[in-house]
Amino acid sequence: GRRLLDHIYCSPMLRTLQTAQPIGRALNMPPEVWVDIHEWGGVFLDHGDERGIVGYPGMSRSEIEKRFDGYVVPATIGEDGWWDPSRGQEQSSSAHGRAIGVAEALWERVAEDNRIALVAHGGFIDSLLKALLHLLPSQHVDLPHYNTAITHLNFAEGKLQMRYMDRTEHLPDELIT
């Protein structure tokens, strides 16, 4: 029979790497790291003092491979990490641009009859949905997602069908955040 999914993509951020792990195990499928689906801002910390906002490199290739055995890690992630710390905090225009690029890539990938799961972040999912719905930039539409909520989209015959958005029925109430 047909597999439930053809690909599980996750961002290179720790939280999504961890979330993708049990999904990959359950489906006997290695998660694939897709850098462009990372959360808005990249890897940074606002120290709240004279240092201000400081960028950090994120996990390196060997750190990801050691901690998440079997994951498919793209060649673009090296030993210097996946985020350029000199960027500090990513600007919203850059995050929107990434979302548009991912939306275009999804249309290409689903044209090959792929079933894809993205394990990403609430802010990025908001931007991705807006990109898919041609609502970028938009300061008047908010498409929030709870942590580990599920949104199901069908891409069929050149049309996007939203089956459901931000479902949390799989979580007990105390875990909905």
Side-chain angles (χ1 to χ4, degrees):
R2 182 151 183 203
R3 294 175 72 147
L4 181 62
L5 293 172
D6 296 305
H7 299 277
I8 303 166
Y9 295 108
C10 63
S11 97
M13 292 181 136
L14 180 60
R15 191 173 66 203
T16 56
L17 292 164
Q18 292 169 326
T19 301
Q21 201 165 35
I23 300 167
R25 283 187 189 136
L27 298 175
N28 195 28
M29 174 183 298
E32 303 172 51
V33 178
W34 189 350
V35 173
D36 283 346
I37 65 174
H38 71 79
E39 183 60 297
W40 270 50
V43 184
F44 69 94
L45 179 61
D46 185 347
H47 289 274
D49 57 22
E50 68 279 351
R51 292 175 290 175
I53 295 172
V54 177
Y56 293 92
M59 294 175 72
S60 70
R61 172 179 213 82
S62 61
E63 288 170 329
I64 294 171
E65 289 175 342
K66 180 179 179 185
R67 191 159 177 187
F68 300 96
D69 186 43
Y71 278 42
V72 178
V73 181
T76 57
I77 299 178
E79 289 311 305
D80 292 337
W82 62 269
W83 181 253
D84 177 359
S86 70
R87 291 182 67 186
Q89 179 181 5
E90 176 189 42
Q91 299 302 304
S92 64
S93 59
S94 175
H96 289 317
R98 276 191 302 110
I100 291 167
V102 170
E104 291 171 354
L106 285 174
W107 277 108
E108 291 172 11
R109 292 174 193 200
V110 298
E112 300 166 3
D113 199 31
N114 284 313
R115 294 177 181 198
I116 296 171
L118 295 183
V119 181
H121 309 268
F124 181 76
I125 292 169
D126 173 271
S127 292
L128 178 59
L129 289 173
K130 288 175 184 173
L132 289 166
L133 298 170
H134 303 285
L135 296 173
L136 283 178
S138 175
Q139 298 175 0
H140 305 289
V141 177
D142 190 19
L143 302 172
H145 276 71
Y146 289 109
N147 289 330
T148 72
I150 300 171
T151 293
H152 181 176
L153 305 174
N154 276 356
F155 294 76
E157 300 173 13
K159 294 184 180 179
L160 175 67
Q161 301 169 337
M162 186 173 294
R163 295 295 186 191
Y164 50 83
M165 185 177 109
D166 199 31
R167 279 204 178 161
T168 58
E169 289 87 358
H170 60 287
L171 296 171
D173 288 345
E174 65 272 10
L175 291 182
I176 298 175
T177 60

